[in-house]
Amino acid sequence: MPQNAVKFAPSILAADFARLGEQVAEAERCGADRIHVDVMDGHFVPNLSIGVPVVKSLRQVTRLPLETHLMISDPDFFLDAFAEAGSDSFIVHWESNHNERHTIQRAKSLGKGVGLAINPATPVEVLEEVLPDLDLVLVMTVNPGFGHQHFIRSTWAKIQHVRRIIQQVRPECELEVDGGIDETTAPLGVAAGANVLVAGTSIFGCSQGIETAMRRLREATE
Ligand code: DX5
Ligand code: ZN
């Protein structure tokens, strides 16, 4: 994987929601490639976060793609509303949705990018059937639901495995990792084959600011 292909997707879950617009604009100035929006329903994951109105507001303050990570049961119900609000792509979970083919086709029919996420305990084999239709695979490196968790090191082999399958079946598909990504773990993800890194706490929670955080992350993966 060429080094300059690594993309950064700051996760706003760790942002200061009272200053969300400013912080997203700063992440954009500092070279973020997309904004990762974590949507949680308190059902599929044991936490609540944000929904459609936040995407609508963010659409006014950034030109970056808004990647919407749907940690919700029955994501199909919400695709239209998020698409209308300004989401550019969707990531849905294999575990939340045993009709993922349908969800993927719905997202595509709305003209949106689509990714499938797998949790740390989910086997890579579940991807095989749908991979030809995907723009992205997200390997969760924590159990979804909360920011500021530790990267689960046993996911390393899984990232490598997914990279191998992507190269065989659909090389243009992106491989993203999400959870516990910081200066130490970002290089591990990239070495295993990820080309998109989601990072919340290590960017928006950095005491030295977003610019320093993004520079350090970038340097760590070069
Ligand atoms: C976890 C979310 C992540 C989270 C990452 O369920 O999907 O996107 O915001 O946060 P950090 O980078 O703090 O682990
Ligand atoms: Zn996420």
Side-chain angles (χ1 to χ4, degrees):
M1 180 62 45
Q3 285 163 355
N4 62 9
V6 176
K7 294 180 184 151
F8 292 93
S11 160
I12 61 166
L13 192 64
D16 175 353
F17 282 93
R19 298 192 300 126
L20 186 57
E22 283 166 45
Q23 293 202 327
V24 165
E26 189 176 350
E28 181 169 2
R29 281 196 303 279
C30 296
D33 295 284
R34 62 188 74 169
I35 298 296
H36 184 87
V37 180
D38 286 306
V39 178
M40 303 179 185
D41 65 353
H43 182 256
F44 174 62
V45 290
N47 198 8
L48 290 167
S49 61
I50 52 164
V52 172
V54 175
V55 168
K56 193 170 179 193
S57 295
L58 286 178
R59 190 66 291 160
Q60 309 305 312
V61 300
T62 183
R63 273 181 265 201
L64 292 179
L66 297 174
E67 166 179 276
T68 307
H69 180 187
L70 294 172
M71 287 166 277
I72 63 177
S73 303
D74 301 318
D76 290 27
F77 290 140
F78 292 95
L79 296 182
D80 291 277
F82 277 108
E84 197 177 323
S87 291
D88 296 284
S89 61
F90 295 108
I91 300 172
V92 295
H93 271 260
W94 181 83
E95 302 83 5
S96 77
N97 182 3
H98 297 294
N99 198 9
E100 66 274 1
R101 272 186 173 284
H102 184 252
T103 308
I104 291 164
Q105 292 314 324
R106 288 257 347 256
K108 288 186 156 197
S109 72
L110 292 166
K112 305 299 174 184
V114 64
L116 191 66
I118 53 171
N119 285 346
T122 299
V124 169
E125 287 67 27
V126 305
L127 297 170
E128 276 169 18
E129 209 178 306
V130 288
L131 186 55
D133 292 323
L134 296 177
D135 300 304
L136 178 144
V137 172
L138 171 56
V139 175
M140 290 302 299
T141 45
V142 298
N143 286 302
F146 297 90
H148 207 182
Q149 302 184 72
H150 292 297
F151 180 91
I152 298 174
R153 296 214 171 217
S154 60
T155 60
W156 203 78
K158 178 180 286 188
I159 303 164
Q160 284 188 308
H161 188 176
V162 175
R163 168 53 69 195
R164 282 196 299 274
I165 297 175
I166 285 177
Q167 292 310 111
Q168 285 162 12
V169 177
R170 185 164 162 78
E172 61 272 42
C173 181
E174 296 186 304
L175 174 49
E176 183 173 78
V177 288
D178 183 6
I181 301 295
D182 58 19
E183 283 170 69
T184 308
T185 54
L188 298 178
V190 172
N195 73 312
V196 188
L197 305 179
V198 177
T201 305
S202 67
I203 293 180
F204 292 112
C206 176
S207 58
Q208 284 150 296
I210 294 169
E211 187 174 0
T212 302
M214 290 202 55
R215 180 170 40 76
R216 285 184 183 160
L217 268 181
R218 198 172 294 110
E219 286 171 1
T221 57
E222 278 167 3

